Structures are given as structure tokens and as C-alpha cells.
Amino acid sequence: MNLILTFVKILNTQYMNAYVFPGQGAQFSGMGLDLYENSEIAKELFDKANDILGFEITKIMFEGTAEELKQTKVTQPAIFLHSVILSKVLGDSFKPDMVAGHSLGEFSALVANGTLNFEDALRLVSKRALAMQKACELKPSTMAAVLGLEDEVVEQGCEETDGIVVAANYNCPGQLVISGEVEAIERACEWMKEKGARRALVLPVGGAFHSPLMEPAREELAAAIEATTFNTPNCPVYQNVTTIAITNPEEIKRNLIAQLTAPVKWTQSVQHMIKDGATLFTEVGPGKVLSGLVKKIERSAETASATM
């Protein structure tokens, strides 16, 4: 852990630092255990999280199987906790000039830049996970990854397919995830293949995230977000919905509410961060998926990881 802290500290003196936070799917068995065992700050926050959530999420994170970590009420809080607590452990070496998060990761980013406090954000993440699960149970739905097509072609395919299907995740050039009703997704995948997609693969997810089918979850989460205090951040956040630098708390709140049914515009967010001066992207949390996407968006971008 000390090597990581030193590395990040050195980098902080040389770059304009963009910190990025991963979303759902980055979880792994044993996540966070090293933090818990090596940092009093981490131990205190993990124990507090158990009290807030009303169950021992640490036991599942540290000892649970991959299947147990896939539980909706566990996955999203677990990734949030790993990311946020790691950023806290970094201490004075954690000096973001800008932040962004992929879907769920936006909540981590908003703690990192001071918009939300740890406790409020964790409660929102927990409510978000449960609200999304309920929305998934209302209608069979799924997502699919489309590789090797221009964004405009994928968008056209969604428009020309009967049923609900939309572009949901703009991950990097040539990699876009679509979301919607099961049959509509299957039809859209066939359309994409006919247009030359390298792959159009239905993903093993429980629902159509970032699509109109998440409207019941958006409405439920909106009430909780509206009742939560949003502070003026200490640096801009590049939100999934707008992709540009935002510092106004009320605007951040509106964008966070819209996020559940709007696409994750990750490609555009990274492009705007680079345009605004970002020279180093440091991924904070489990995995290195976002670091890989950043390099695909801009090959010359410098990336680092603060994972443990």
C-alpha cells in the first residue's frame, strides 16, 4: 500500500489529475480486505458501512463467493465502498483536479470531490441498487455489447428496431452497450451483425440499465436524492449525462437523477476532461477497466491505478 501511496504522490506533483471511479461489474471476491487489515481509517469506514446497511457487507466482500457478490444489495455498495475508502486511505496524496465515475461510479466521484458525504452517498447507493432490482423485475429486459460499429450506426439500429432498445453505454470508440426489452435486444443484435458488427453479444445482466425501463427506479431514487444535501464540490465532476465540467450542486443533483434512464457517455466525458487539461487518469477502486477504456479513447493519455 505504501508503494501505491508514494507513486500517486509523485504523480500528483507532475500532472493535472483526473480521478475516475468504476461501476458495476468490477467486484471480486476478497475486495477491500487489504484495506481493512492495513488502515484504521478503512476499518472505521467499513464498520460504519455495516451499521448503515444493516448487514455485514464486509463479510461478503472479504469472504463471499463471486455469486454472493452479485446480489444486487451487495454489488453496488461493495464497489462504492472499495473506491471511496481507498480514496480516503490515500490521504493527502489524493488531490483531484477533476473527477468522473462510470454509472454507479459517479456516486464515488461525488464523495471524492466533496459533493456528498460518505454516509449519505452510501444510503443513496443502497436505495439505487434496490430500486433498480425492483424495476428489473417488472419486465424481462437485458443489455448487449456491440463491438466494431460506429456509434451512429448503433443508434440507427436501435431506432429501426421494434420495441424498447436504446444506446446505454458509450464506453469507447467501437464499443457501445445497448439496453432494452429482451426480444428487442435480440432483434437489434441481429441487425448490428448484418451491418458488420464484430460482435453483438447479449450480456449476463439482470435488466435494462440506463434505458426507459428504469423509469420506476428513477422516480424512487429521485425522492431520496432530492432529500439529500449536495455541497459545492472542491473540483468539477464530469457527469455521465452531460459529459462536461459541473460544479453547481443543484445541477449535479438533477443530472444524478436523470442518470438512471439516460446513457452513460463515458467516451465523451473522457474527451472533455482531456480537452480541459487532464494529463493523468488515475482509476480508484476495484479493477482496471476504466484505465483500459481511457487508453482506447485517447492512446496518448497517461493512466495509473490506485487499486489494492
Side-chain angles (χ1 to χ4, degrees), residues 103-233:
S103 189
L104 164 69
E106 197 163 279
F107 288 83
S108 306
L110 292 176
V111 176
N113 76 351
T115 303
L116 290 170
N117 67 41
F118 172 80
E119 295 84 356
D120 286 344
L122 178 57
R123 292 186 183 97
L124 288 177
V125 166
S126 180
K127 288 179 180 179
R128 179 184 191 267
L130 296 176
M132 289 172 73
Q133 180 60 39
K134 282 195 283 185
C136 291
E137 293 168 356
L138 292 175
K139 189 166 191 176
S141 58
T142 191
M143 304 177 81
V146 180
L147 306 181
L149 285 182
E150 295 290 328
D151 291 349
E152 295 78 8
V153 177
V154 177
E155 291 164 351
Q156 179 189 349
C158 291
E159 291 173 4
E160 294 186 8
T161 300
D162 291 335
I164 297 174
V165 55
V166 297
N169 293 353
Y170 293 78
N171 287 332
C172 67
Q175 186 187 127
L176 205 159
V177 175
I178 60 176
S179 182
E181 297 167 325
V182 171
E183 291 184 358
I185 288 289
E186 291 171 349
R187 286 193 294 268
C189 283
E190 290 305 312
W191 189 97
M192 307 292 175
K193 290 174 185 175
E194 290 174 3
K195 293 296 181 180
R198 194 163 70 250
R199 294 187 76 182
L201 179 68
V202 177
L203 300 172
V205 297
F209 307 137
H210 300 288
S211 82
L213 294 172
M214 285 292 111
E215 179 60 22
R218 189 200 66 80
E219 292 175 358
E220 187 173 336
L221 187 62
I225 289 175
E226 290 289 2
T228 300
T229 299
F230 279 57
N231 305 304
T232 300

Side-chain angles (χ1 to χ4, degrees), residues 188-301:
C189 283
E190 290 305 312
W191 189 97
M192 307 292 175
K193 290 174 185 175
E194 290 174 3
K195 293 296 181 180
R198 194 163 70 250
R199 294 187 76 182
L201 179 68
V202 177
L203 300 172
V205 297
F209 307 137
H210 300 288
S211 82
L213 294 172
M214 285 292 111
E215 179 60 22
R218 189 200 66 80
E219 292 175 358
E220 187 173 336
L221 187 62
I225 289 175
E226 290 289 2
T228 300
T229 299
F230 279 57
N231 305 304
T232 300
N234 51 44
C235 70
V237 59
Y238 289 69
Q239 291 182 276
N240 295 171
V241 173
T242 61
T243 80
I244 58 175
I246 306 292
T247 56
N248 181 286
E250 288 303 312
E251 192 172 351
I252 291 172
K253 184 179 287 190
R254 288 195 299 272
N255 292 336
L256 197 61
I257 291 171
Q259 193 216 60
L260 272 183
T261 54
V264 175
K265 297 180 179 178
W266 188 250
T267 299
Q268 299 89 328
S269 297
V270 171
Q271 288 169 338
H272 278 128
M273 294 170 90
I274 292 170
K275 182 180 178 182
D276 291 347
T279 52
L280 173 70
F281 288 82
T282 301
E283 185 166 1
V284 184
K288 298 180 181 179
V289 171
L290 297 186
S291 299
L293 293 180
V294 168
K295 295 294 284 186
K296 289 177 180 177
I297 294 166
E298 177 52 63
R299 188 176 299 176
S300 64

Side-chain angles (χ1 to χ4, degrees), residues 24-79:
Q24 195 163 341
Q27 70 275 6
F28 63 91
S29 184
M31 61 188 294
L33 181 58
D34 284 347
L35 283 170
Y36 188 87
E37 291 180 338
N38 291 286
S39 167
E40 284 300 317
I41 294 172
K43 185 177 186 303
E44 179 183 340
L45 290 174
F46 274 123
D47 289 343
K48 184 180 287 187
N50 287 336
D51 292 338
I52 291 171
L53 295 172
F55 67 95
E56 283 194 70
I57 191 170
T58 50
K59 186 173 180 62
I60 304 173
M61 290 175 68
F62 303 162
E63 304 172 18
T65 64
E67 197 60 35
E68 289 172 319
L69 273 170
K70 286 182 182 178
Q71 297 176 77
T72 302
K73 72 174 185 178
V74 174
T75 309
Q76 294 190 26
I79 294 167

